[in-house]
């Protein structure tokens, strides 16, 4: 007989696969479509940043909706918002309209992603949390990674609007799965609260989490990775491959794909390691290795070094997929899964908003290497701080 945990996990993996595949499909055509409005490069970056801003804004409200109305309605509303944002993008007549549509789809996607992590915190015990989150995270990474392939084909054969149609329908399907297939898990979080005690108001809950040094530091780890990934990997690395090493597009694609594949292979073993040896044994090395990969990018002048840097980055991101989220879930006081996971997502999403803009400015003023050195410095600093000051949130055999 299938356990409740497994049933929820399977449906959540199907839902997040459909949802993130839609997002991945958009990657190749989004900047090109934004360009058709005749705006500057900075404004095109804005189309990417506004999506992250919406996720940031929606993180805490998503947790609140999932606590008040349940996890299913929160997921379904997210799917509906994302779908409407994508369909509105197709009919946008001006760039501001397009930006508003992107904000709406980002808000919907943010609700789905945040509620997904709340559900995982609901169904897992600390002893199995790393593995369960790793399976979910692996599905997530795979869908985003594979998405650009059909996305490029769709845009090539059916025009730049085809990926928006695809993404819109994918979001609708995800919303329907939430309503009709994913079981409700809110009662599991409520069951952990001592009978007769009432949960404190949201602000008090957030203050309690803010006083937890481990929670603050692990959120800093998530923020640093989001900042360096969106600012470095999405913005700077393709430029280095193309202009400095002068690689053809297909070789850049191959190098990025190698990184994604190796990352995918590392996800589950890392989830096992988190459950076997504790969270810090994974969080610290993966943060340091990610920093080292940016250092390698700075010195890459051949395809081989460029591919090696991508491989190192991919393995590190695979290792780090589940550990910070597992640590954040461990830090949630009884019944406060929604507040803890939504605050954790929100702090991480700051990186998505700031990263592309900050790194872009540094590249314009001081060149790509300075931006890569800064990324390395940020990651090394937070990695060392976490190693030094964060307590272990789960000791196996506890």
């Amino acid at each position: 007989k299938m356990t409740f945990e497994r049933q929820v996990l399977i449906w959540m993996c199907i839902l997040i696969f459909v949802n993130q595949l839609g997002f991945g499909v958009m990657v190749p055509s989004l900047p090109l479509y934004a360009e058709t409005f005749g705006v500057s490069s900075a404004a095109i970056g804005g189309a990417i940043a506004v999506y992250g801003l919406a996720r940031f804004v929606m993180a805490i409200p998503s947790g609140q909706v999932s606590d008040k109305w349940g996890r299913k309605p929160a997921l379904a509303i997210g799917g509906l918002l994302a779908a409407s944002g994508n369909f509105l993008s197709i009919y946008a007549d001006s760039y501001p309209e397009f930006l508003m549509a992107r904000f709406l789809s980002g808000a919907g996607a943010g609700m789905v992603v945040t509620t997904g992590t709340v559900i995982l915190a609901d169904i897992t015990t600390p002893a199995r949390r790393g593995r369960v989150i790793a399976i979910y995270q692996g599905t997530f990474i795979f869908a985003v990674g594979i998405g650009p392939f059909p996305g490029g084909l769709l845009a090539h054969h059916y025009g730049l609007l085809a990926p928006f149609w695809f993404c819109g329908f994918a979001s609708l399907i995800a919303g329907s799965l939430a309503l009709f297939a994913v079981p409700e898990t809110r009662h599991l979080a409520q069951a952990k609260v001592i009978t007769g005690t009432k949960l404190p108001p949201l602000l008090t809950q957030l203050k309690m989490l803010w006083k937890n040094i481990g929670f603050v530091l692990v959120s800093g780890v998530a923020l640093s990775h989001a900042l360096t990934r969106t600012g470095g990997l999405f913005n700077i690395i393709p430029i280095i491959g193309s202009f400095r090493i002068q690689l053809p597009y297909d070789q850049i694609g191959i190098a990025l794909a190698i990184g994604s594949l190796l990352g995918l292979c590392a996800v589950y073993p890392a989830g096992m390691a988190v459950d076997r040896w504790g969270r810090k044994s994974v969080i610290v090395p993966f943060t340091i290795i990610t920093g080292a990969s940016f250092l390698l990018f700075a010195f890459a002048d051949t395809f081989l070094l460029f591919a090696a840097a991508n491989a190192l980055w991919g393995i590190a991101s695979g290792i780090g997929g589940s550990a910070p989220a597992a640590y954040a879930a461990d830090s949630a006081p009884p019944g406060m899964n929604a507040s803890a996971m939504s605050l954790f997502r929100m702090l991480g999403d700051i990186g998505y908003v700031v990263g592309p803009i900050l790194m872009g400015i540094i590249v314009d003023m001081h060149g790509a290497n300075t931006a890569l050195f800064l990324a390395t410095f940020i990651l090394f600093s937070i990695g060392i701080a976490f190693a030094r000051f964060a307590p272990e949130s789960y000791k196996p055999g506890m």
Side-chain angles (χ1 to χ4, degrees), residues 24-40:
V25 161
M26 305 273 297
V27 170
S29 57
L30 181 70
L32 303 172
Y33 182 60
E35 224 169 29
T36 61
F37 291 100
V39 290
S40 68

Side-chain angles (χ1 to χ4, degrees), residues 273-283 323 392 394-396:
V274 164
D275 288 342
R276 183 168 293 172
W277 296 304
R279 319 305 191 203
K280 282 181 77 167
S281 65
V282 173
I283 293 172
E392 177 55 77
Y394 169 67
K395 292 183 180 70

Side-chain angles (χ1 to χ4, degrees), residues 359-386:
M359 293 294 186
I361 292 168
I362 292 169
V363 171
D364 286 342
M365 288 172 69
H366 304 288
N369 271 9
T370 309
L372 290 169
F373 292 146
L374 176 69
T376 301
F377 174 74
I378 290 170
L379 289 161
F380 279 5
S381 304
I382 190 72
I384 292 162
F386 191 84

Side-chain angles (χ1 to χ4, degrees), residues 236-237 239-247 255 292-311 368-369 372-373:
I236 306 168
I237 307 309
I239 294 169
I240 284 181
S242 193
F243 295 114
R244 190 165 79 198
I245 318 176
Q246 309 225 298
L247 298 173
S293 73
F294 283 111
L295 210 52
L296 193 53
F297 275 120
F299 296 110
D301 53 3
T302 61
F303 171 72
L304 214 62
L305 273 176
F306 184 72
N310 268 298
N369 271 9
L372 290 169
F373 292 146

Side-chain angles (χ1 to χ4, degrees), residues 18-271:
V18 172
N19 197 60
Q20 293 309 111
L21 182 70
F23 175 75
V25 161
M26 305 273 297
V27 170
S29 57
L30 181 70
L32 303 172
Y33 182 60
E35 224 169 29
T36 61
F37 291 100
V39 290
S40 68
S41 299
I44 292 167
I48 298 164
V50 76
Y51 191 86
L53 179 68
R55 282 178 44 162
F56 167 75
V57 170
M58 286 307 290
I60 299 285
S62 304
Q64 288 296 288
V65 170
S66 72
D67 258 358
K68 278 203 171 67
W69 297 341
R71 316 313 193 208
K72 279 165 75 84
L75 280 176
I77 294 166
L80 202 62
L81 277 178
S84 49
N86 286 309
F87 293 138
L88 284 171
S89 299
I90 296 166
Y91 295 106
D93 291 327
S94 64
Y95 191 67
E97 273 181 34
F98 177 62
L99 276 186
M100 283 169 68
R102 292 304 299 149
F103 185 87
L104 198 59
S105 52
M111 278 194 85
V112 172
V113 172
T114 302
T115 310
T117 51
V118 174
I119 289 172
L120 295 187
D122 288 343
I123 62 170
T124 53
T125 57
R128 291 180 46 75
R129 189 161 282 152
R131 277 163 286 184
V132 171
I133 294 178
I135 293 167
Y136 176 79
Q137 207 79 23
T139 311
F140 189 103
I141 294 167
F142 177 68
V144 175
I146 197 91
F149 176 64
L153 289 175
L154 278 171
H156 182 75
H157 292 292
Y158 302 104
L160 285 176
L161 290 177
F164 287 92
W165 283 108
F166 183 96
C167 193
F169 282 113
S171 301
L172 274 182
I173 293 167
S176 308
L177 282 171
L179 272 184
F180 301 112
V182 179
E184 181 57 72
T185 63
R186 181 175 56 162
H187 60 280
L188 297 174
Q190 291 169 339
K192 291 174 187 165
V193 184
I194 302 156
T195 324
T197 55
K198 205 167 166 287
L199 276 185
L202 175 68
L203 215 59
T204 316
Q205 291 185 39
L206 297 182
K207 274 183 187 156
M208 282 168 72
L209 289 161
W210 198 247
K211 283 180 183 157
N212 178 336
I213 180 75
F215 181 83
V216 172
L217 282 169
V218 85
S219 299
V221 168
L223 192 156
S224 308
H225 282 277
L227 185 135
T228 52
R229 181 166 68 236
T230 53
L233 199 80
F234 297 173
N235 277 17
I236 306 168
I237 307 309
I239 294 169
I240 284 181
S242 193
F243 295 114
R244 190 165 79 198
I245 318 176
Q246 309 225 298
L247 298 173
Y249 291 137
D250 59 340
Q251 285 193 355
I252 295 173
I254 289 165
L256 286 165
I258 289 169
S260 294
L261 266 173
L262 287 170
L264 196 64
C265 297
V267 170
Y268 191 72

